[in-house]
Amino acid sequence: MMESTLVTSSFSQPLSVKRGNPLSVAPMMDRTDRHFRYLMRQITRKTLLYTEMVTIPAIINGDRSKLLDFSPEEHPLALQIGGDDPEKAAECARIAEDWGYDEINLNVGCPSDRVKSGNFGACLMAQPEKVAKVVEAMQNAVSLPITVKHRIGIDERDRYEDMSYFVRVVSDAGCQRFTVHARKAWLQGLSPKENRNVPPLRYQDVYRLKQEFPHLFVEINGGIKTLAEIKEHLHHLDAVMIGRAAYDNPNLFSSVDREIYGEDSSPPTMKEVVKAMFPYLDYWVNRGVKLNSMTRHLIHIFNGQPGAKAWRRYLTEKGCQPHAGAEVVEQALELLT
């Protein structure tokens, strides 16, 4: 079961993900671990957060506490899984429900060679019937929402009609929420990093998908970096997912609880956010976690502000020292002007 950090929270009950959450932070490998998610929860109470992608074999055979544990404050929280075996996916869904997750998301968007060789990720867009079977098995196993994150298309299979067919088949299996990365993926010739930037964005195709499937919850992802862009997309779609911009500029989310969710609250300053992290950092340092494995998520939090370079340098140099704790972060704050 999940482990409580014993860090208290005054957060109100989160927006129900079953009704659909209009904003989320994308699952990102080596980014959206539990420490980054806890940081984001100091900035926004409502935004839906995702784990890093975890493969079905890892969940079934691996160290579940290491892979799945989270702090209660991280809700609402979705677990993203990768795989193509319906029976094993259903087993993972039951584990995720028991663990306390709010939602399970199937990765049909990652274009890396490792993912492709395991027959999951973006390559599954060419097999909508198989995806439908996986979704249906999970739907039958749990009461949690089962969602899918996918691309506009892959390789030469990138017509709007191809994506529309994929969504139709998978939605018939019970999926009601689709997150669309508005770029195609080239499974040959482009790296995962290039696949995040090189293929052109096709927002209009995602808008068209919502028009064709008005009963589905359609979320857009890809290249969205500002609050103004988020609001513009929400005029056309049900939700917006932010990826790298959330990691490189966490401050982007400081006003979303008020601006997107309508809460009557003042946005936290980034200094307030960092100070709120002190008990959490010391809690985990006292349990053997290296400070820099957590402070690496704080590196960009003051980007563009006076003293940001000194902040980054101090955390990088001091955060890796033995027995470093929250005092290092407190000292780094003093370098900001």
Side-chain angles (χ1 to χ4, degrees):
M1 297 298 293
M2 68 180 183
E3 176 180 301
S4 172
T5 62
L6 304 182
V7 180
T8 60
S9 170
S10 60
F11 298 156
S12 61
Q13 289 297 311
L15 187 71
S16 170
V17 295
K18 291 184 178 180
R19 296 201 308 269
N21 197 309
L23 188 63
S24 67
V25 175
M28 293 177 279
M29 296 302 294
D30 199 39
R31 297 287 192 279
T32 52
D33 65 13
R34 66 182 303 173
H35 305 306
F36 175 71
R37 298 191 308 259
Y38 191 89
L39 166 65
M40 288 302 299
R41 200 50 84 212
Q42 309 312 305
I43 302 172
T44 168
R45 297 179 295 178
K46 297 293 190 179
T47 302
L48 176 63
L49 303 180
Y50 281 80
T51 66
E52 302 171 87
M53 184 193 68
V54 188
T55 66
I56 288 174
I59 293 173
I60 293 175
N61 302 313
D63 183 344
R64 291 180 190 170
S65 293
K66 180 178 180 181
L67 294 169
L68 300 179
D69 274 355
F70 60 89
S71 304
E73 292 83 359
E74 293 173 43
H75 289 293
L77 179 61
L79 171 67
Q80 188 185 65
I81 66 172
D84 71 342
D85 185 299
E87 184 177 343
K88 292 180 180 178
E91 182 179 350
C92 285
R94 287 188 287 268
I95 292 169
E97 186 170 53
D98 290 343
W99 225 265
Y101 283 92
D102 299 299
E103 177 181 307
I104 304 165
N105 179 264
L106 182 65
N107 184 319
V108 190
C110 183
S112 76
D113 290 338
R114 182 179 66 86
V115 167
K116 184 173 59 176
S117 65
N119 199 38
F120 59 95
C123 65
L124 284 176
M125 286 204 70
Q127 305 171 69
E129 290 78 11
K130 175 166 281 191
V131 174
K133 289 179 180 179
V134 174
V135 167
E136 184 176 27
M138 290 193 288
Q139 289 276 185
N140 292 336
V142 299
S143 61
L144 298 180
I146 306 299
T147 68
V148 171
K149 185 174 188 289
H150 61 95
R151 291 276 183 150
I152 289 283
I154 54 172
D155 298 333
E156 302 301 335
R157 193 186 183 103
D158 68 339
R159 300 177 307 153
Y160 171 80
E161 290 76 14
D162 297 319
M163 177 175 64
S164 175
Y165 177 75
F166 173 87
V167 169
R168 185 178 305 279
V169 171
V170 177
S171 65
D172 284 347
C175 183
Q176 295 296 302
R177 180 175 179 134
F178 291 82
T179 299
V180 189
H181 187 150
R183 289 185 174 93
K184 67 179 290 183
W186 284 104
L187 302 183
Q188 299 288 340
L190 291 183
S191 68
K193 181 179 180 180
E194 290 169 330
N195 265 307
R196 291 195 297 268
N197 300 288
V198 174
L201 288 161
R202 292 162 51 182
Y203 293 148
Q204 293 300 323
D205 281 2
V206 188
Y207 295 172
R208 182 181 173 186
L209 189 72
K210 177 60 183 178
Q211 293 169 355
E212 183 176 338
F213 298 92
H215 59 291
L216 297 180
F217 193 96
V218 179
E219 180 177 44
I220 195 166
N221 170 234
I224 304 164
K225 299 180 180 179
T226 68
L227 184 60
E229 291 170 338
I230 291 171
K231 289 181 175 180
E232 176 58 29
H233 285 299
L234 288 176
H235 286 305
H236 305 275
L237 299 161
D238 300 300
V240 174
M241 174 180 279
I242 306 297
R244 301 286 155 169
Y247 197 84
D248 296 338
N249 180 28
N251 192 30
L252 169 64
F253 285 79
S254 63
S255 62
V256 299
D257 286 0
R258 183 179 64 185
E259 298 289 334
I260 303 300
Y261 295 94
E263 287 212 331
D264 184 17
S265 58
S266 299
T269 68
M270 291 303 99
K271 285 188 177 181
E272 290 171 340
V273 167
V274 171
K275 289 177 181 179
M277 291 291 293
F278 288 169
Y280 180 88
L281 297 174
D282 276 337
Y283 176 90
W284 286 108
V285 165
N286 290 336
R287 282 152 183 80
V289 175
K290 298 295 185 183
L291 181 68
N292 62 348
S293 70
M294 297 179 283
T295 55
R296 68 189 182 96
H297 301 308
L298 294 169
I299 292 293
H300 302 294
I301 202 166
F302 294 111
N303 280 359
Q305 299 183 33
K309 186 175 181 180
W311 160 267
R312 292 192 298 268
R313 182 188 303 114
Y314 195 88
L315 285 188
T316 301
E317 293 176 352
K318 303 296 184 180
C320 61
Q321 294 182 353
H323 312 299
E327 74 282 350
V328 169
V329 185
E330 188 172 11
Q331 292 159 6
L333 277 179
E334 297 176 1
L335 302 174
L336 297 164
T337 56

